[in-house]
Protein backbone atom coordinates (compact mmCIF):
# COMPACT_ATOMS: atom_id res chain seq x y z
CA UNK A 1 0.00 0.00 0.00
CA UNK A 2 2.79 2.44 0.91
CA UNK A 3 4.58 1.60 -2.35
CA UNK A 4 1.36 2.22 -4.28
CA UNK A 5 0.91 5.62 -2.63
CA UNK A 6 4.48 6.55 -3.50
CA UNK A 7 3.92 5.47 -7.10
CA UNK A 8 0.71 7.54 -7.32
CA UNK A 9 2.44 10.57 -5.82
CA UNK A 10 5.30 10.20 -8.29
CA UNK A 11 2.86 9.84 -11.16
CA UNK A 12 0.97 12.98 -10.09
CA UNK A 13 4.23 14.90 -9.80
CA UNK A 14 5.26 13.85 -13.31
CA UNK A 15 1.84 14.87 -14.69
CA UNK A 16 2.19 18.25 -12.97
CA UNK A 17 5.63 18.73 -14.50
CA UNK A 18 4.29 17.79 -17.93
CA UNK A 19 1.39 20.21 -17.57
CA UNK A 20 3.78 23.00 -16.57
CA UNK A 21 6.09 22.13 -19.46
CA UNK A 22 3.22 22.06 -21.96
CA UNK A 23 1.96 25.35 -20.53
CA UNK A 24 5.35 26.96 -20.92
CA UNK A 25 5.72 25.63 -24.46
CA UNK A 26 2.25 26.92 -25.31
CA UNK A 27 3.06 30.34 -23.85
CA UNK A 28 6.35 30.41 -25.75
CA UNK A 29 4.55 29.52 -28.97
CA UNK A 30 1.98 32.26 -28.39
CA UNK A 31 4.74 34.78 -27.72
CA UNK A 32 6.60 33.76 -30.89
CA UNK A 33 3.40 34.06 -32.93
CA UNK A 34 2.79 37.55 -31.52
CA UNK A 35 6.30 38.63 -32.48
CA UNK A 36 5.93 37.12 -35.95
CA UNK A 37 2.75 39.09 -36.53
CA UNK A 38 4.41 42.31 -35.35
CA UNK A 39 7.37 41.63 -37.65
CA UNK A 40 5.13 41.20 -40.68
CA UNK A 41 3.37 44.46 -39.86
CA UNK A 42 6.67 46.27 -39.47
CA UNK A 43 7.98 44.85 -42.74
CA UNK A 44 5.11 46.44 -44.65
CA UNK A 45 4.97 49.69 -42.65
CA UNK A 46 8.68 50.47 -43.09
CA UNK A 47 8.84 49.32 -46.72
CA UNK A 48 11.95 47.41 -45.71
CA UNK A 49 13.46 44.69 -47.94
CA UNK A 50 13.87 42.35 -45.00
CA UNK A 51 15.25 41.52 -41.57
CA UNK A 52 15.76 38.66 -39.12
CA UNK A 53 14.50 38.60 -35.53
CA UNK A 54 16.00 36.59 -32.71
CA UNK A 55 14.73 36.21 -29.13
CA UNK A 56 16.12 34.11 -26.30
CA UNK A 57 14.58 33.73 -22.84
CA UNK A 58 15.77 31.66 -19.91
CA UNK A 59 18.33 29.99 -22.16
CA UNK A 60 15.75 28.87 -24.71
CA UNK A 61 15.36 30.28 -28.23
CA UNK A 62 11.86 31.73 -28.58
CA UNK A 63 12.31 32.93 -32.15
CA UNK A 64 15.02 33.08 -34.83
CA UNK A 65 13.31 33.82 -38.09
CA UNK A 66 13.54 35.95 -41.20
CA UNK A 67 11.03 38.22 -42.90
CA UNK A 68 11.07 39.73 -46.37
CA UNK A 69 13.87 39.12 -48.85
CA UNK A 70 17.66 39.26 -48.88
CA UNK A 71 17.59 41.40 -52.05
CA UNK A 72 14.75 43.70 -53.10
CA UNK A 73 12.81 42.34 -56.07
CA UNK A 74 14.13 38.82 -55.56
CA UNK A 75 12.57 35.82 -53.85
CA UNK A 76 15.46 35.14 -51.49
CA UNK A 77 14.33 33.72 -48.18
CA UNK A 78 15.74 35.16 -44.97
CA UNK A 79 16.11 32.79 -42.04
CA UNK A 80 18.00 32.51 -38.77
CA UNK A 81 21.21 31.72 -40.64
CA UNK A 82 21.14 34.71 -42.99
CA UNK A 83 24.21 36.89 -42.60
CA UNK A 84 23.98 40.65 -41.95
CA UNK A 85 26.60 43.19 -40.93
CA UNK A 86 26.05 43.85 -37.22
CA UNK A 87 28.26 46.98 -37.34
CA UNK A 88 28.70 48.59 -33.91
CA UNK A 89 27.24 45.58 -32.11
CA UNK A 90 30.81 44.35 -32.67
CA UNK A 91 31.87 46.73 -29.89
CA UNK A 92 30.52 44.42 -27.17
CA UNK A 93 32.84 41.68 -28.44
CA UNK A 94 35.83 44.03 -28.32
CA UNK A 95 34.99 45.35 -24.84
CA UNK A 96 34.41 41.83 -23.51
CA UNK A 97 37.75 40.75 -24.99
CA UNK A 98 39.54 43.65 -23.27
CA UNK A 99 37.78 42.95 -19.96
CA UNK A 100 38.65 39.25 -20.25
CA UNK A 101 42.30 40.09 -20.80
CA UNK A 102 42.13 42.40 -17.77
CA UNK A 103 40.72 39.66 -15.52
CA UNK A 104 43.40 37.25 -16.79
CA UNK A 105 46.12 39.76 -15.90
CA UNK A 106 47.31 40.27 -19.48
CA UNK A 107 46.48 43.97 -19.44
CA UNK A 108 45.16 46.57 -17.03
CA UNK A 109 42.05 48.56 -17.91
CA UNK A 110 43.39 51.48 -15.92
CA UNK A 111 46.84 51.58 -17.47
CA UNK A 112 47.50 54.35 -20.00
CA UNK A 113 46.94 53.31 -23.60
CA UNK A 114 50.51 54.39 -24.31
CA UNK A 115 51.71 51.48 -22.15
CA UNK A 116 50.55 49.21 -24.97
CA UNK A 117 50.59 51.61 -27.94
CA UNK A 118 53.42 54.14 -27.45
CA UNK A 119 52.39 55.96 -30.65
CA UNK A 120 48.87 56.74 -29.36
CA UNK A 121 48.26 60.50 -29.28
CA UNK A 122 45.21 62.71 -28.76
CA UNK A 123 44.78 66.49 -29.04
CA UNK A 124 46.70 67.21 -25.81
CA UNK A 125 49.90 65.73 -24.40
CA UNK A 126 48.57 65.33 -20.84
CA UNK A 127 45.40 63.67 -22.12
CA UNK A 128 47.46 61.41 -24.38
CA UNK A 129 49.62 60.27 -21.47
CA UNK A 130 46.71 59.65 -19.08
CA UNK A 131 43.95 58.21 -21.29
CA UNK A 132 43.47 54.61 -20.17
CA UNK A 133 42.27 51.48 -21.91
CA UNK A 134 39.01 51.84 -19.97
CA UNK A 135 38.54 55.34 -21.41
CA UNK A 136 38.69 53.93 -24.94
CA UNK A 137 35.58 51.85 -24.39
CA UNK A 138 33.10 54.34 -22.88
CA UNK A 139 33.19 57.41 -25.14
CA UNK A 140 34.69 59.97 -22.73
CA UNK A 141 38.04 60.96 -24.27
CA UNK A 142 36.94 64.40 -25.44
CA UNK A 143 36.31 63.67 -29.13
CA UNK A 144 32.98 64.61 -30.70
CA UNK A 145 30.44 62.02 -31.81
CA UNK A 146 31.60 60.39 -35.07
CA UNK A 147 34.53 62.79 -35.25
CA UNK A 148 37.25 61.38 -37.48
CA UNK A 149 35.15 58.71 -39.18
CA UNK A 150 36.28 60.14 -42.51
CA UNK A 151 39.79 58.87 -41.66
CA UNK A 152 38.77 55.22 -41.85
CA UNK A 153 35.69 55.19 -44.07
CA UNK A 154 36.42 52.93 -47.08
CA UNK A 155 40.10 53.47 -46.40
CA UNK A 156 42.87 51.07 -47.36
CA UNK A 157 45.03 52.28 -44.47
CA UNK A 158 45.97 49.87 -41.71
CA UNK A 159 44.41 50.23 -38.27
CA UNK A 160 47.73 51.50 -36.91
CA UNK A 161 47.94 54.16 -39.61
CA UNK A 162 44.44 55.30 -38.70
CA UNK A 163 45.24 55.46 -34.98
CA UNK A 164 48.33 57.55 -35.71
CA UNK A 165 46.14 60.18 -37.39
CA UNK A 166 43.84 60.67 -34.38
CA UNK A 167 46.13 63.30 -32.85
CA UNK A 168 44.97 65.82 -35.46
CA UNK A 169 41.33 65.77 -34.29
CA UNK A 170 40.14 68.72 -32.17
CA UNK A 171 38.86 68.44 -28.62
CA UNK A 172 35.07 68.72 -28.41
CA UNK A 173 34.46 68.66 -24.62
CA UNK A 174 36.38 68.29 -21.38
CA UNK A 175 38.33 65.06 -21.10
CA UNK A 176 36.30 62.56 -19.03
CA UNK A 177 33.74 65.33 -18.62
CA UNK A 178 31.26 64.52 -21.37
CA UNK A 179 30.19 62.10 -24.05
CA UNK A 180 31.13 61.70 -27.69
CA UNK A 181 30.51 58.40 -29.48
CA UNK A 182 33.80 57.44 -31.10
CA UNK A 183 34.56 54.58 -33.46
CA UNK A 184 38.23 55.52 -33.50
CA UNK A 185 38.74 54.53 -29.87
CA UNK A 186 37.46 51.02 -30.58
CA UNK A 187 39.80 50.77 -33.55
CA UNK A 188 42.49 51.72 -31.04
CA UNK A 189 41.23 49.05 -28.62
CA UNK A 190 41.57 46.49 -31.39
CA UNK A 191 45.23 47.44 -31.71
CA UNK A 192 45.65 47.10 -27.93
CA UNK A 193 44.44 43.50 -28.28
CA UNK A 194 47.03 42.94 -31.01
CA UNK A 195 49.81 44.45 -28.88
CA UNK A 196 48.96 42.33 -25.84
CA UNK A 197 48.15 38.98 -27.47
CA UNK A 198 50.02 39.05 -30.75
CA UNK A 199 46.70 38.38 -32.48
CA UNK A 200 44.49 40.73 -34.45
CA UNK A 201 41.16 41.57 -32.85
CA UNK A 202 39.53 39.27 -35.43
CA UNK A 203 41.76 36.31 -34.54
CA UNK A 204 41.25 36.86 -30.82
CA UNK A 205 37.45 37.13 -31.11
CA UNK A 206 37.33 34.09 -33.34
CA UNK A 207 39.47 31.96 -31.02
CA UNK A 208 37.86 33.05 -27.75
CA UNK A 209 34.21 33.69 -28.60
CA UNK A 210 33.09 32.61 -32.05
CA UNK A 211 34.72 29.18 -31.91
CA UNK A 212 33.76 28.19 -28.34
CA UNK A 213 30.19 29.43 -28.85
CA UNK A 214 29.87 27.58 -32.19
CA UNK A 215 29.05 30.82 -34.01
CA UNK A 216 30.07 29.01 -37.17
CA UNK A 217 28.66 31.38 -39.79
CA UNK A 218 29.85 34.62 -38.20
CA UNK A 219 32.62 36.37 -40.16
CA UNK A 220 35.13 39.04 -39.17
CA UNK A 221 35.49 40.40 -42.71
CA UNK A 222 33.40 40.80 -45.85
CA UNK A 223 36.06 38.96 -47.89
CA UNK A 224 34.70 35.40 -47.40
CA UNK A 225 31.11 36.43 -48.19
CA UNK A 226 31.52 36.15 -51.96
CA UNK A 227 31.94 32.39 -51.55
CA UNK A 228 29.05 32.00 -49.10
CA UNK A 229 25.33 31.60 -49.59
CA UNK A 230 22.44 33.06 -47.58
CA UNK A 231 23.98 36.55 -47.28
CA UNK A 232 21.71 39.61 -47.12
CA UNK A 233 22.24 42.48 -49.57
CA UNK A 234 22.57 46.03 -48.17
CA UNK A 235 20.06 48.63 -49.41
CA UNK A 236 20.05 52.42 -49.43
CA UNK A 237 16.56 53.10 -48.11
CA UNK A 238 16.34 56.80 -48.99
CA UNK A 239 17.12 55.91 -52.62
CA UNK A 240 14.17 53.58 -53.19
CA UNK A 241 15.89 50.62 -51.53
CA UNK A 242 18.83 50.67 -53.94
CA UNK A 243 20.86 47.44 -53.53
CA UNK A 244 24.61 47.95 -53.05
CA UNK A 245 27.62 45.77 -52.37
CA UNK A 246 29.07 45.09 -48.93
CA UNK A 247 31.39 47.93 -47.92
CA UNK A 248 34.90 46.94 -46.81
CA UNK A 249 35.40 47.86 -43.17
CA UNK A 250 38.69 46.01 -42.83
CA UNK A 251 40.82 48.58 -41.02
CA UNK A 252 37.89 49.73 -38.87
CA UNK A 253 36.73 46.21 -38.07
CA UNK A 254 37.18 46.51 -34.30
CA UNK A 255 34.59 49.29 -34.35
CA UNK A 256 32.03 47.38 -36.40
CA UNK A 257 33.36 44.63 -38.65
CA UNK A 258 31.44 41.49 -37.63
CA UNK A 259 28.91 39.85 -39.96
CA UNK A 260 26.53 37.49 -38.20
CA UNK A 261 23.06 35.92 -38.08
CA UNK A 262 20.32 35.77 -35.47
CA UNK A 263 21.10 32.09 -34.86
CA UNK A 264 24.68 32.97 -33.98
CA UNK A 265 23.93 36.21 -32.17
CA UNK A 266 21.52 34.42 -29.83
CA UNK A 267 24.43 32.24 -28.74
CA UNK A 268 26.41 35.37 -27.92
CA UNK A 269 23.50 36.98 -26.08
CA UNK A 270 22.85 33.72 -24.24
CA UNK A 271 26.47 33.75 -23.05
CA UNK A 272 26.09 37.32 -21.79
CA UNK A 273 22.86 36.47 -19.95
CA UNK A 274 24.09 33.19 -18.42
CA UNK A 275 27.49 34.65 -17.61
CA UNK A 276 28.26 32.26 -14.78
CA UNK A 277 28.02 29.31 -17.16
CA UNK A 278 30.14 31.27 -19.62
CA UNK A 279 32.78 31.49 -16.91
CA UNK A 280 32.54 27.74 -16.27
CA UNK A 281 33.03 27.10 -19.99
CA UNK A 282 36.07 29.41 -20.08
CA UNK A 283 34.53 31.84 -22.56
CA UNK A 284 34.89 34.92 -20.36
CA UNK A 285 34.98 35.55 -16.59
CA UNK A 286 31.77 36.70 -14.94
CA UNK A 287 33.66 39.72 -13.65
CA UNK A 288 34.47 40.74 -17.23
CA UNK A 289 30.81 40.75 -18.21
CA UNK A 290 29.84 42.68 -15.08
CA UNK A 291 32.54 45.29 -15.71
CA UNK A 292 31.26 45.88 -19.25
CA UNK A 293 27.67 46.25 -18.06
CA UNK A 294 28.49 48.73 -15.30
CA UNK A 295 27.84 52.44 -15.99
CA UNK A 296 31.09 54.29 -16.73
CA UNK A 297 29.92 57.48 -18.38
CA UNK A 298 26.61 59.12 -17.50
CA UNK A 299 24.95 60.52 -20.61
CA UNK A 300 21.85 61.90 -18.96
CA UNK A 301 18.09 61.70 -19.06
CA UNK A 302 15.43 60.66 -16.58
CA UNK A 303 16.03 56.97 -17.28
CA UNK A 304 19.68 57.10 -16.11
CA UNK A 305 21.07 56.50 -19.60
CA UNK A 306 24.79 55.75 -19.48
CA UNK A 307 27.64 54.11 -21.36
CA UNK A 308 29.31 50.99 -20.10
CA UNK A 309 32.13 49.26 -21.95
CA UNK A 310 30.80 48.37 -25.39
CA UNK A 311 27.20 48.66 -24.12
CA UNK A 312 24.67 51.32 -23.18
CA UNK A 313 22.38 51.04 -20.15
CA UNK A 314 19.15 52.60 -18.95
CA UNK A 315 16.10 51.97 -16.74
CA UNK A 316 12.81 51.16 -18.40
CA UNK A 317 9.62 49.70 -16.99
CA UNK A 318 11.36 49.14 -13.69
CA UNK A 319 14.07 47.01 -15.31
CA UNK A 320 17.77 47.44 -16.03
CA UNK A 321 18.21 47.39 -19.81
CA UNK A 322 21.44 46.82 -21.72
CA UNK A 323 21.55 47.71 -25.39
CA UNK A 324 23.50 48.72 -28.48
CA UNK A 325 22.71 49.50 -32.09
CA UNK A 326 24.62 49.09 -35.29
CA UNK A 327 24.77 51.16 -38.47
CA UNK A 328 26.52 49.85 -41.58
CA UNK A 329 26.29 50.87 -45.22
CA UNK A 330 22.78 49.62 -46.08
CA UNK A 331 22.19 47.66 -42.86
CA UNK A 332 20.99 48.60 -39.36
CA UNK A 333 20.78 46.32 -36.32
CA UNK A 334 19.58 46.45 -32.73
CA UNK A 335 20.35 44.41 -29.61
CA UNK A 336 18.50 44.62 -26.28
CA UNK A 337 19.15 42.61 -23.12
CA UNK A 338 16.97 42.43 -20.01
CA UNK A 339 19.47 40.67 -17.74
CA UNK A 340 17.27 40.08 -14.68
CA UNK A 341 14.66 38.35 -16.83
CA UNK A 342 17.28 36.53 -18.93
CA UNK A 343 15.87 37.98 -22.15
CA UNK A 344 17.93 38.74 -25.24
CA UNK A 345 16.61 40.39 -28.40
CA UNK A 346 18.39 40.95 -31.72
CA UNK A 347 17.05 42.37 -34.98
CA UNK A 348 19.29 42.46 -38.06
CA UNK A 349 18.08 44.36 -41.12
CA UNK A 350 19.26 44.99 -44.67
CA UNK A 351 17.91 48.53 -44.74
CA UNK A 352 18.82 51.91 -43.28
CA UNK A 353 15.48 52.35 -41.52
CA UNK A 354 14.37 52.32 -37.90
CA UNK A 355 12.64 48.96 -38.26
CA UNK A 356 15.29 47.06 -36.27
CA UNK A 357 15.17 49.34 -33.23
CA UNK A 358 11.37 49.71 -33.36
CA UNK A 359 10.77 45.97 -33.42
CA UNK A 360 13.35 45.29 -30.71
CA UNK A 361 11.71 47.88 -28.45
CA UNK A 362 8.28 46.39 -29.12
CA UNK A 363 9.49 42.94 -28.04
CA UNK A 364 11.15 44.51 -24.96
CA UNK A 365 7.95 46.26 -23.92
CA UNK A 366 5.84 43.17 -24.54
CA UNK A 367 7.97 41.17 -22.12
CA UNK A 368 7.85 43.99 -19.59
CA UNK A 369 4.06 44.08 -19.76
CA UNK A 370 4.02 47.71 -20.93
CA UNK A 371 1.47 49.34 -23.18
CA UNK A 372 2.37 48.67 -26.83
CA UNK A 373 -0.75 50.14 -28.43
CA UNK A 374 0.23 52.40 -31.28
CA UNK A 375 3.87 51.27 -31.24
CA UNK A 376 4.03 50.84 -35.00
CA UNK A 377 2.38 54.17 -35.78
CA UNK A 378 4.76 55.97 -33.42
CA UNK A 379 7.74 54.19 -34.99
CA UNK A 380 6.72 55.03 -38.55
CA UNK A 381 6.08 58.66 -37.56
CA UNK A 382 9.65 58.82 -36.23
CA UNK A 383 10.84 57.31 -39.49
CA UNK A 384 8.95 59.91 -41.51
CA UNK A 385 10.37 62.74 -39.39
CA UNK A 386 13.89 61.37 -39.76
CA UNK A 387 13.54 61.14 -43.53
CA UNK A 388 12.18 64.65 -43.75
CA UNK A 389 15.11 65.91 -41.67
CA UNK A 390 17.51 64.04 -43.93
CA UNK A 391 15.89 65.46 -47.06
CA UNK A 392 16.02 68.97 -45.65
CA UNK A 393 19.75 68.59 -45.00
CA UNK A 394 20.31 67.31 -48.56
CA UNK A 395 18.14 70.02 -50.12
CA UNK A 396 19.84 72.88 -48.30
CA UNK A 397 22.80 73.16 -50.73
CA UNK A 398 20.44 72.88 -53.70
CA UNK A 399 18.35 75.77 -52.44
CA UNK A 400 21.47 77.91 -52.04
CA UNK A 401 22.74 77.17 -55.56
CA UNK A 402 23.18 80.20 -57.83
CA UNK A 403 22.40 79.20 -61.39
CA UNK A 404 24.06 80.82 -64.39
CA UNK A 405 27.40 81.57 -62.73
CA UNK A 406 30.83 80.72 -64.10
CA UNK A 407 34.07 79.71 -62.32
CA UNK A 408 36.71 82.40 -61.93
CA UNK A 409 39.49 79.81 -61.96
CA UNK A 410 41.08 77.91 -64.80
CA UNK A 411 41.46 74.15 -64.57
CA UNK A 412 45.26 74.38 -64.58
CA UNK A 413 45.02 76.59 -61.48
CA UNK A 414 42.98 73.95 -59.62
CA UNK A 415 44.82 70.73 -60.44
CA UNK A 416 47.56 69.58 -58.12
CA UNK A 417 48.36 67.76 -54.90
CA UNK A 418 46.42 68.67 -51.77
CA UNK A 419 47.17 67.58 -48.24
CA UNK A 420 45.52 67.58 -44.83
CA UNK A 421 47.38 66.51 -41.64
CA UNK A 422 44.31 64.58 -40.50
CA UNK A 423 43.53 62.77 -43.72
CA UNK A 424 46.66 62.75 -45.81
CA UNK A 425 47.10 63.34 -49.52
CA UNK A 426 44.35 63.94 -52.10
CA UNK A 427 44.95 64.50 -55.81
CA UNK A 428 43.07 66.69 -58.28
CA UNK A 429 43.71 66.08 -61.95
CA UNK A 430 42.02 65.57 -65.28
CA UNK A 431 40.27 62.30 -66.10
CA UNK A 432 40.41 60.66 -69.53
CA UNK A 433 37.15 62.34 -70.48
CA UNK A 434 38.67 65.74 -69.72
CA UNK A 435 36.69 66.33 -66.54
CA UNK A 436 38.26 67.27 -63.24
CA UNK A 437 38.77 64.23 -61.03
CA UNK A 438 39.33 64.09 -57.27
CA UNK A 439 41.33 61.03 -56.24
CA UNK A 440 41.89 59.61 -52.76
CA UNK A 441 45.05 57.44 -52.92
CA UNK A 442 44.29 55.68 -49.62
CA UNK A 443 40.54 55.36 -50.31
CA UNK A 444 39.99 55.03 -54.09
CA UNK A 445 36.35 54.05 -53.49
CA UNK A 446 35.77 57.76 -52.69
CA UNK A 447 37.06 59.03 -56.05
CA UNK A 448 34.76 61.52 -57.76
CA UNK A 449 34.47 63.58 -60.95
CA UNK A 450 33.67 67.26 -60.58
CA UNK A 451 30.77 69.17 -62.17
CA UNK A 452 30.53 72.93 -61.92
CA UNK A 453 27.97 73.93 -59.29
CA UNK A 454 28.29 77.69 -58.95
CA UNK A 455 31.12 80.23 -58.79
CA UNK A 456 34.24 78.29 -57.67
CA UNK A 457 32.23 75.47 -56.12
CA UNK A 458 31.94 72.05 -57.78
CA UNK A 459 29.60 69.12 -57.34
CA UNK A 460 31.09 65.76 -56.35
CA UNK A 461 29.97 63.11 -58.83
CA UNK A 462 31.00 59.98 -56.94
CA UNK A 463 32.23 57.05 -59.00
CA UNK A 464 30.62 54.60 -56.57
CA UNK A 465 27.33 54.58 -54.68
CA UNK A 466 27.68 55.55 -51.03
CA UNK A 467 25.09 54.73 -48.41
CA UNK A 468 25.71 57.61 -46.01
CA UNK A 469 25.81 60.34 -48.63
CA UNK A 470 25.03 60.73 -52.31
CA UNK A 471 25.52 64.44 -52.82
CA UNK A 472 28.23 66.89 -51.95
CA UNK A 473 30.23 69.86 -53.11
CA UNK A 474 33.69 71.26 -52.71
CA UNK A 475 34.86 74.82 -53.07
CA UNK A 476 38.28 76.14 -53.90
CA UNK A 477 39.89 78.46 -51.39
CA UNK A 478 41.92 81.34 -52.84
CA UNK A 479 44.20 83.96 -51.33
CA UNK A 480 44.13 87.72 -51.97
CA UNK A 481 46.06 87.19 -55.20
CA UNK A 482 43.40 84.75 -56.53
CA UNK A 483 45.75 81.81 -56.14
CA UNK A 484 44.22 78.47 -55.14
CA UNK A 485 45.36 77.54 -51.64
CA UNK A 486 42.96 74.78 -50.62
CA UNK A 487 39.71 72.84 -50.83
CA UNK A 488 36.77 72.70 -48.39
CA UNK A 489 33.96 70.12 -48.47
CA UNK A 490 30.23 70.15 -47.85
CA UNK A 491 28.88 66.59 -47.91
CA UNK A 492 25.51 66.43 -46.10
CA UNK A 493 25.24 63.35 -43.89
CA UNK A 494 25.07 62.40 -40.23
CA UNK A 495 28.35 60.53 -39.79
CA UNK A 496 31.17 60.82 -42.31
CA UNK A 497 32.26 64.40 -41.75
CA UNK A 498 34.27 65.47 -44.80
CA UNK A 499 34.13 68.97 -43.35
CA UNK A 500 36.89 67.90 -40.93
CA UNK A 501 39.20 67.50 -43.92
CA UNK A 502 40.79 70.87 -44.72
CA UNK A 503 42.95 70.30 -47.77
CA UNK A 504 45.78 72.72 -48.46
CA UNK A 505 47.37 72.87 -51.88
CA UNK A 506 51.00 71.83 -51.98
CA UNK A 507 53.37 74.14 -53.78
CA UNK A 508 54.93 72.72 -56.92
CA UNK A 509 58.63 71.97 -56.65
Amino acid sequence: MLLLKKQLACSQFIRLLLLLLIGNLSLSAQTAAQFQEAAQQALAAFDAPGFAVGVVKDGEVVLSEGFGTRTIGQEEVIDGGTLFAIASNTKAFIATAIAKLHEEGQLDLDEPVQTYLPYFQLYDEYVSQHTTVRDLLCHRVGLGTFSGDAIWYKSEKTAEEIVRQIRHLPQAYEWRGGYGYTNLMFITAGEVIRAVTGKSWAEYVRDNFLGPLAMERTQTSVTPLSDMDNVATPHISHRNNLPIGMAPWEASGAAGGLISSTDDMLKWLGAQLDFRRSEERGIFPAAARNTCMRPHNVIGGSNFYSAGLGWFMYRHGGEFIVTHGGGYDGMYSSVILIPEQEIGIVVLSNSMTGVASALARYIRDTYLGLDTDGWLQQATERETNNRESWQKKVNSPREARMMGTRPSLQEEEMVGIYQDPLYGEVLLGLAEDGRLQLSFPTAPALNARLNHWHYDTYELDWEEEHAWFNEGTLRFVVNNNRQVTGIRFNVPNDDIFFEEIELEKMEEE
Side-chain angles (χ1 to χ4, degrees):
M1 181 64 70
L2 182 60
L3 178 62
L4 180 61
K5 287 182 179 179
K6 288 183 178 180
Q7 289 174 335
L8 287 172
C10 183
S11 176
Q12 290 172 345
F13 179 69
I14 291 172
R15 280 200 300 272
L16 178 60
L17 283 177
L18 288 173
L19 286 171
L20 288 172
L21 178 61
I22 292 170
N24 286 337
L25 288 173
S26 176
L27 180 62
S28 180
Q30 290 174 7
T31 303
Q34 181 179 351
F35 296 157
Q36 289 166 334
E37 181 180 359
Q40 291 289 1
Q41 293 172 349
L43 181 69
F46 278 87
D47 187 30
F51 51 79
V53 183
V55 182
V56 62
K57 183 173 184 351
D58 298 324
E60 299 294 328
V61 174
V62 175
L63 182 69
S64 185
E65 188 174 327
F67 302 84
T69 180
R70 298 198 301 270
T71 307
I72 198 74
Q74 305 294 322
E75 294 184 5
E76 298 176 345
V77 174
I78 296 175
D79 57 29
T82 303
L83 291 177
F84 298 80
I86 70 168
S88 286
N89 280 301
T90 302
K91 289 180 170 67
F93 289 82
I94 299 302
T96 303
I98 293 285
K100 173 181 166 74
L101 291 168
H102 171 82
E103 294 300 327
E104 293 171 348
Q106 296 191 58
L107 63 74
D108 188 335
L109 276 166
D110 297 309
E111 273 291 306
V113 177
Q114 289 186 348
T115 302
Y116 310 103
L117 304 178
Y119 58 83
F120 175 76
Q121 291 281 336
L122 289 170
Y123 45 82
D124 176 85
E125 189 60 33
Y126 178 89
V127 171
S128 300
Q129 293 174 359
H130 291 82
T131 292
T132 66
V133 177
R134 191 186 300 271
D135 293 323
L136 297 178
L137 306 174
C138 57
H139 310 291
R140 65 185 187 190
V141 299
L143 295 178
T145 293
F146 301 142
S147 180
D149 279 359
I151 303 176
W152 61 260
Y153 185 66
K154 296 191 176 180
S155 175
E156 295 179 353
K157 295 175 183 175
T158 66
E160 180 179 331
E161 289 173 330
I162 291 168
V163 173
R164 287 181 180 274
Q165 295 299 103
I166 296 173
R167 68 186 186 276
H168 298 294
L169 289 169
Q171 183 176 9
Y173 58 88
E174 185 178 352
W175 179 60
R176 291 183 182 168
Y179 168 82
Y181 185 91
T182 169
N183 290 303
L184 289 171
M185 293 303 99
F186 275 83
I187 297 174
T188 305
E191 290 306 283
V192 170
I193 292 173
R194 184 193 301 275
V196 170
T197 68
K199 298 180 179 181
S200 68
W201 73 267
E203 292 168 326
Y204 185 87
V205 166
R206 193 180 301 118
D207 292 347
N208 287 270
F209 303 145
L210 306 185
L213 289 171
M215 297 174 66
E216 296 173 354
R217 281 184 58 77
T218 299
Q219 303 297 316
T220 58
S221 164
V222 301
T223 303
L225 300 182
S226 59
D227 296 323
M228 299 181 69
D229 58 5
N230 200 9
V231 179
T233 300
H235 295 81
I236 305 177
S237 302
H238 56 268
R239 268 177 269 168
N240 298 317
N241 285 326
L242 176 69
I244 58 173
M246 297 289 282
W249 280 25
E250 305 308 302
S252 59
L258 285 177
I259 298 100
S260 191
S261 65
T262 53
D263 283 350
D264 277 6
M265 284 297 289
L266 289 180
K267 296 172 183 177
W268 170 248
L269 299 187
Q272 293 287 339
L273 292 167
D274 193 358
F275 56 94
R276 292 183 180 84
R277 185 163 181 267
S278 294
E279 181 173 68
E280 292 171 359
R281 295 173 61 189
I283 297 170
F284 52 77
R289 179 267 200 184
N290 292 338
T291 295
C292 291
M293 292 189 184
R294 177 168 59 81
H296 281 71
N297 188 11
V298 176
I299 299 171
S302 58
N303 59 354
F304 303 101
Y305 198 78
S306 61
L309 305 184
W311 294 106
F312 293 99
M313 286 138 284
Y314 59 92
R315 301 290 301 183
H316 182 73
E319 289 285 345
F320 176 66
I321 309 294
V322 178
T323 187
H324 211 292
Y328 174 87
D329 304 58
M331 293 183 169
Y332 284 178
S333 60
S334 181
V335 167
I336 294 177
L337 298 173
I338 312 175
E340 291 302 314
Q341 294 195 27
E342 295 189 48
I343 294 169
I345 305 159
V346 56
V347 184
L348 309 176
S349 79
N350 59 353
S351 69
M352 299 176 76
T353 68
V355 66
S357 57
L359 195 52
R361 288 194 296 263
Y362 167 77
I363 296 171
R364 173 202 66 190
D365 287 354
T366 299
Y367 273 122
L368 295 180
L370 302 177
D371 182 14
T372 57
D373 289 344
W375 74 275
L376 190 55
Q377 180 181 348
Q378 294 169 14
T380 52
E381 285 176 356
R382 282 194 300 270
E383 182 73 12
T384 299
N385 291 337
N386 289 339
R387 291 207 181 192
E388 289 176 352
S389 176
W390 165 266
Q391 201 59 49
K392 183 177 180 181
K393 182 177 292 189
V394 170
N395 288 341
S396 179
R398 297 178 192 168
E399 295 169 356
R401 185 179 186 184
M402 300 295 291
M403 302 299 293
T405 66
R406 298 173 62 86
S408 67
L409 302 168
Q410 300 299 315
E411 288 182 349
E412 57 267 24
E413 296 177 278
M414 296 182 276
V415 298
I417 301 173
Y418 293 79
Q419 192 168 37
D420 170 52
L422 171 67
Y423 193 82
E425 199 171 82
V426 177
L427 310 178
L428 183 65
L430 293 175
E432 293 181 359
D433 60 5
R435 296 166 64 192
L436 288 168
Q437 181 179 41
L438 194 69
S439 301
F440 296 79
T442 59
L446 297 177
N447 290 353
R449 307 292 175 91
L450 303 186
N451 300 321
H452 183 250
W453 185 253
H454 63 199
Y455 301 112
D456 291 330
T457 297
Y458 285 75
E459 177 187 23
L460 290 158
D461 182 8
W462 309 101
E463 294 180 3
E464 293 187 13
E465 296 285 355
H466 302 295
W468 302 105
F469 49 86
N470 63 312
E471 299 191 27
T473 59
L474 63 77
R475 66 178 175 86
F476 289 93
V477 180
V478 298
N479 61 19
N480 290 352
N481 297 324
R482 298 299 300 162
Q483 295 171 319
V484 176
T485 60
I487 288 174
R488 299 295 181 268
F489 292 96
N490 180 21
V491 182
N493 72 93
D494 296 322
D495 192 327
I496 314 300
F497 302 144
F498 283 83
E499 290 73 14
E500 291 183 325
I501 303 172
E502 298 184 348
L503 294 172
E504 303 300 326
K505 191 176 184 184
M506 305 296 291
E507 292 187 10
E508 297 181 8
E509 295 182 358

